[in-house]
Amino acid sequence: MTARAADRARYDRATAHLDAPLAIVDLEAFDANADDLVRRAGGKPVRVASKSVRCRHLLERVLAKDGFAGIMSFTLAESLWLARSGFDDVLLAYPSADRTGFAELAADPKLAAAVTVMIDDPAHLDLIDAARDGGSEVVRVCLELDTSLKLFGGRVRVGARRSPLHSPAQLAELARTVARRPGFRLVGIMAYEGHVAGVGDKVAGRPLRSRAVRLMQATARRELAERRAAVVRAVRAVAPDLEFVNGGGTGSVQSTAAEDAVTEIAAGSGLYVPRLFDNYTSFTGRPAALFGMPVVRRPGVGVVTVLGGGYPASGAAGPDRLPVPYLPQGLSYDPQEGPGEVQTPLLGSVADDLLIGDKVWFRHAKAGELCERFAELHLVEGDRVTATVPTYRGEGHTFL
């Protein structure tokens, strides 16, 4: 029996008493992935990206491990909820226009001490001040550096369109603005190199593209390491008590951790290891989060139909944003239908071995987005479900 077949047998036994659709997390794989992130970080703490987990129980589990410290959140409302839940180090990774949330933050000493907000424009400071509604707490802020690689005099850009702050001088100027502004304290710098950390460099069947990605990433890593070090020097000249410099992501843990200027690494997807993280030369993870859909039809030879399954991931639409049928191995989508909202035909000779009510296990393209579809996660150890815990959705929160 192959390892994948053995996993399927375990998951089927563990959930035999449960009706699908359902979602599981294999805790052995989850913990092994967490240990690998710590190993790759080389002694620098890993800040957990909550967007990629979206389950308080699992955030608590991973933060209890040596090598992990703090959360990187994705909305202000989520940040405040996590802080009220007992998490005392929450870095909001994206600027916010949540005026109600900023009023709450500025009025509560506990929240103000636990949450750091992201800015890349003086207008963010204006919005926060206008939202204070009498709240006088000092707001902790972090500056975001644009990590994109600019070639040919800026005519070619590689990387996500995030912060407008690209040069050391630009970040130093905003740091001075924060320093002059009552009610704010600059505590950190963040730089997410998504074109390195979030783009696979070993795409099956595409050797030329893979080589081009590796060449681009090598160039990007060199350029960013030099520029990030210069940025940190420039900002520390203004704010010598800077607490952290955050960088990286699951796909770039080793290279980012190797930079002296970086004090902590961000990662989250590497805990669940969704399908988009199969294509890396730098690491190999274990799929830990899956969802099971029930077989509800057998339309003909070599075909079964499962309920639902059409859970596309965010990003530019394409086949790589679709979940993949994972177990049993050998199933594929009907190219004329693909994964559907209410039913999904699956093709392959292995379909003839599936009966009505059997489960087909899928992997999502991304990590935490799976939890927007399910209210709970069944935690599997060996061939048993040892706990069932709520996702954010299960606790009544869909922050985006």
Side-chain angles (χ1 to χ4, degrees):
M1 182 182 291
T2 66
R4 279 176 63 169
D7 283 342
R8 181 197 173 199
R10 287 196 301 115
Y11 301 150
D12 283 348
R13 286 195 300 271
T15 63
H17 63 295
L18 298 172
D19 289 330
L22 80 170
I24 65 169
V25 171
D26 184 331
L27 288 182
E28 181 181 332
F30 180 90
D31 289 342
N33 293 333
D35 292 343
D36 189 59
L37 287 171
V38 171
R39 177 190 64 79
R40 292 195 287 135
K44 293 186 176 178
V46 178
R47 184 181 290 273
V48 184
S50 63
K51 180 173 72 72
S52 300
V53 179
R54 302 192 204 198
C55 171
R56 278 201 300 168
H57 177 89
L58 291 176
L59 289 172
E60 291 167 353
R61 183 184 183 94
V62 73
L63 285 170
K65 293 178 175 292
D66 291 340
F68 289 87
I71 289 177
M72 176 177 283
S73 58
F74 60 98
T75 74
L76 182 55
E78 178 212 14
S79 305
L80 301 180
W81 177 65
L82 289 172
R84 290 190 178 102
S85 301
F87 297 96
D88 60 4
D89 180 6
V90 183
L91 169 62
L92 174 56
Y94 305 88
S96 177
D98 180 354
R99 292 174 174 83
T100 300
F102 283 128
E104 294 175 14
L105 179 68
D108 189 316
K110 177 184 175 182
L111 297 180
V115 176
T116 301
V117 303
M118 192 65 59
I119 68 166
D120 60 33
D121 191 306
H124 293 135
L125 302 176
D126 296 339
L127 188 148
I128 295 169
D129 271 340
R132 283 180 181 272
D133 194 26
S136 59
E137 294 299 321
V138 173
V139 175
R140 295 164 53 88
V141 299
C142 177
L143 309 183
E144 182 170 2
L145 165 67
D146 169 37
T147 65
S148 65
L149 175 65
K150 296 183 178 181
L151 303 170
F152 306 108
R155 293 190 297 275
V156 174
R157 172 195 178 101
V158 181
R161 296 184 181 276
R162 293 175 62 110
S163 170
L165 306 175
H166 191 81
S167 70
Q170 288 174 311
L171 277 98
E173 178 57 33
L174 186 54
R176 286 189 285 270
T177 299
V178 176
R180 292 192 295 263
R181 192 92 171 228
F184 296 94
R185 183 157 69 94
L186 176 59
V187 298
I189 299 171
M190 188 195 85
Y192 172 56
E193 53 266 44
H195 49 302
V196 178
V199 178
D201 63 348
K202 188 183 65 174
V203 183
R206 304 190 68 180
L208 294 179
R209 172 179 169 79
S210 298
R211 183 181 179 189
V213 169
R214 288 194 290 273
L215 289 172
M216 175 276 291
Q217 291 179 340
T219 302
R221 284 194 298 267
R222 288 192 298 270
E223 186 275 338
L224 179 59
E226 294 179 5
R227 182 158 52 89
R228 180 154 40 199
V231 163
V232 173
R233 288 193 298 270
V235 173
R236 284 195 186 279
V238 179
D241 296 330
L242 207 64
E243 295 175 13
F244 64 85
V245 177
N246 180 281
T250 289
S252 73
V253 172
Q254 298 101 306
S255 60
T256 306
E259 295 182 33
D260 291 339
V262 174
T263 66
E264 64 176 38
I265 309 301
S269 295
L271 297 169
Y272 287 169
V273 186
R275 65 165 293 199
L276 281 176
F277 286 84
D278 286 347
N279 305 318
Y280 287 80
T281 56
S282 61
F283 79 103
T284 300
R286 293 175 54 182
L290 300 95
F291 63 95
M293 310 304 286
V295 174
V296 292
R297 293 183 180 179
R298 291 168 50 90
V301 176
V303 186
V304 293
T305 302
V306 298
L307 183 70
Y311 303 158
S314 60
D320 65 336
R321 302 290 143 165
L322 300 179
V324 290
Y326 181 61
L327 302 171
Q329 194 169 359
L331 293 171
S332 61
Y333 293 126
D334 182 332
Q336 294 184 344
E337 295 195 45
E341 179 186 12
V342 291
Q343 71 165 35
T344 298
L346 297 170
L347 312 180
S349 59
V350 69
D352 295 331
D353 298 325
L354 292 170
L355 304 176
I356 301 294
D358 284 351
K359 297 181 181 77
V360 174
W361 296 97
F362 291 76
R363 294 173 66 198
H364 204 279
K366 287 194 171 181
E369 291 183 22
L370 169 66
C371 294
E372 297 299 324
R373 299 286 183 167
F374 292 91
E376 56 190 19
L377 297 172
H378 302 285
L379 308 184
V380 174
E381 297 184 74
D383 61 358
R384 296 186 305 121
V385 170
T386 56
T388 298
V389 296
T391 61
Y392 281 11
R393 174 178 172 171
E395 295 200 68
H397 296 288
T398 52
F399 291 108
L400 276 180

